[in-house]
Amino acid sequence: MVTEQILPDRSAFSAIADPTRRAILDCLQDGELCAGDIAERFPVSRPAIARHIKVLRSAGLLNERRQAQKRIYALRPEGLRDVDRWLQTYRQFWATRLIDLKAFVENSDE
C-alpha cells in the first residue's frame, strides 16, 4: 500500500480558519509588533503563538524583520487577495439581496 504524504495547506484560507490567527492579524492592523508583544495579548503559551505566526508567514500574510534580538511582524494585506476575490461574489450577492429587501419593505407599506 502506498501512503501519500499530505502536506499542510499554506493558503490564506487555511491560515485564517483559526480564530487566534485572525486575532493576530487584527492586532497588526494598527502597525508592527514584536513577537513578545503579540504573545502578551493572548492567554496561550509563547510557543503556541510562534506556531501561529509561522503559519501566517507561510501563507504570505505577515512580513518579518529583525531588529537586534527582536523579531518584528507586520501585516501583509496583499496576502489576503485570494480571500478578497472569493468574498467579492458574496458581497455582490448580499448587496442585491439588501436592495430587494429594501424594495419589499417600501412596497409593503402600501
Side-chain angles (χ1 to χ4, degrees):
M1 177 166 86
V2 176
T3 304
E4 292 183 34
Q5 180 182 7
I6 299 174
L7 298 175
D9 185 359
R10 301 278 188 222
S11 75
F13 291 98
S14 177
I16 65 172
D18 184 276
T20 300
R21 291 194 286 266
R22 290 191 307 268
I24 290 170
L25 294 176
D26 290 345
C27 290
L28 293 168
Q29 284 183 6
D30 294 330
E32 299 178 326
L33 289 172
C34 69
D37 290 340
I38 294 170
E40 287 176 0
R41 297 171 183 229
F42 296 92
V44 296
S45 68
R46 286 179 182 253
I49 293 300
R51 287 189 297 274
H52 285 301
I53 288 172
K54 183 178 179 180
V55 170
L56 292 167
R57 286 188 62 229
S58 294
L61 301 176
L62 294 183
N63 285 328
E64 176 188 279
R65 68 180 175 84
R66 293 183 185 221
Q67 182 178 7
Q69 299 293 323
K70 293 183 178 182
R71 292 178 186 214
I72 310 294
Y73 294 98
L75 183 61
R76 190 174 171 272
E78 59 272 14
L80 290 168
R81 192 171 293 133
D82 289 339
V83 175
D84 186 56
R85 269 189 234 119
W86 181 75
L87 286 171
Q88 186 58 36
T89 305
Y90 293 96
R91 284 188 202 104
Q92 292 168 351
F93 170 81
W94 283 111
T96 301
R97 294 294 180 250
L98 290 173
I99 290 168
D100 292 346
L101 177 61
K102 180 181 181 228
F104 174 78
V105 170
E106 289 173 348
N107 291 330
S108 67
D109 289 338
E110 295 176 0

